[in-house]
Amino acid sequence: MRKALLTILNTIAFIALASVAFAGEAAPEVISMTSIATALGMALAAAGCGIGQGLGLKAACEGTARNPEASGKITVTMLIGLAMIESLAIYALVVNLILLFANPFLG
Amino acid sequence: MLARANRKIEGFFYKRGVEIPEIRTLLRNQIYLTWTGIVIALIFGLTSWAFEFIVGALLGGLNFYALAKIIQQLIFVRRGAVVALLVSFYFRLLFTGVLLYAVIVFFKANIVALLSGLSVVIVNILIFGATLVGQKFKEA
């Protein structure tokens, strides 16, 4: 019951906030909130991807230390994983740049 | 003809220090996929779309190439490998960010085309992964 009530209240709060955001065309509050959102979004994306890449590299180094003959296969697998992680950061970057400089909701 | 092109492209990457054959194959496929995307865009008469696709694909491809080159050395570094990877990652992200900013803000690039170009790496990896399905590997 409590969960359902919280979900409903949250939904109402989000809808109310969204209408305020859309009503104020390029209001200073909206711009400042967008700036904070993009900064937070990029920071989270970069930090998460950095940590993920570091962990992947650590595991690969350990695997190579245990079995040096498998280093070629480990490197290929690591490259694939790292490229996937990195592309997430690049997508986040594109979304944040759109929000900051080409936001369709700010006119 | 395709075999000759494959040999030429792979030789080019081998000369630049990409020693693992699978990584050379991935880089070669990246070039082929980018060309395919450009040709498809031009067939439909999407000239500006093709240009923005090229920018995205080049950015993704260059990032992938730089990553491929650095991890070949990183795996043998005993200390400081994680720091080197992170520094390289943030520098590349900065470079990519500046270029993407210029393309989006100054050239008003089509975002869908740009994202399609950036997704070529993902498509390439997925195709590579699909070709590996069903293959049996000898346990080392």
Side-chain angles (χ1 to χ4, degrees), chain B residues 55-129:
Chain B
V55 173
L58 267 180
L59 269 177
L62 281 175
N63 267 312
F64 190 58
Y65 173 65
L67 189 69
K69 274 197 85 173
I70 198 169
I71 63 156
Q72 284 182 99
Q73 288 127 29
L74 279 182
I75 205 150
F76 296 109
V77 179
R78 290 180 72 187
R79 269 173 175 239
V82 175
V83 177
L85 178 68
L86 286 182
V87 169
S88 130
F89 165 64
Y90 284 119
F91 267 107
R92 270 184 291 123
L93 196 62
L94 184 71
F95 169 74
T96 312
V98 170
L99 265 178
L100 282 175
Y101 168 79
V103 174
I104 292 172
V105 177
F106 295 122
F107 297 101
K108 305 265 182 275
N110 183 355
I111 304 294
V112 179
L114 205 61
L115 283 176
S116 309
L118 286 167
S119 303
V120 172
V121 175
I122 303 286
V123 174
N124 184 11
I125 290 170
L126 289 177
I127 291 171
F128 185 76

Side-chain angles (χ1 to χ4, degrees), chain A residues 42 45-47 49-51 53-55 57-58 60-61 64 67-76 78-87 89-91 93-94 97-98 101-102, chain B residues 20 22-23 26 59-60 63-64 67-68 71-72 74-77 81-82 85-86 89-90 92-93 96-97 100-101 104-105 111 114-115 118-122 125-126 128 132 137 140:
Chain A
M42 199 56 240
C49 289
I51 293 166
Q53 286 199 334
L55 286 174
L57 181 64
K58 177 179 165 278
C61 286
T64 312
N67 188 1
E69 283 176 14
S71 71
K73 282 205 165 61
I74 290 172
T75 311
V76 175
M78 188 172 70
L79 172 73
I80 290 171
L82 294 187
M84 286 280 210
I85 295 168
E86 232 184 62
S87 56
I90 295 171
Y91 287 146
L93 181 70
V94 174
L97 283 173
I98 295 166
F101 302 109
Chain B
I20 301 169
E22 284 94 345
I23 295 180
L26 272 167
L59 269 177
N63 267 312
F64 190 58
L67 189 69
I71 63 156
Q72 284 182 99
L74 279 182
I75 205 150
F76 296 109
V77 179
V82 175
L85 178 68
L86 286 182
F89 165 64
Y90 284 119
R92 270 184 291 123
L93 196 62
T96 312
L100 282 175
Y101 168 79
I104 292 172
V105 177
I111 304 294
L114 205 61
L115 283 176
L118 286 167
S119 303
V120 172
V121 175
I122 303 286
I125 290 170
L126 289 177
F128 185 76
L132 291 181
F137 294 107

Side-chain angles (χ1 to χ4, degrees), chain A residues 5-15:
Chain A
L5 194 69
L6 275 174
T7 313
I8 293 164
L9 284 176
N10 265 329
T11 314
I12 292 168
F14 278 128
I15 292 168

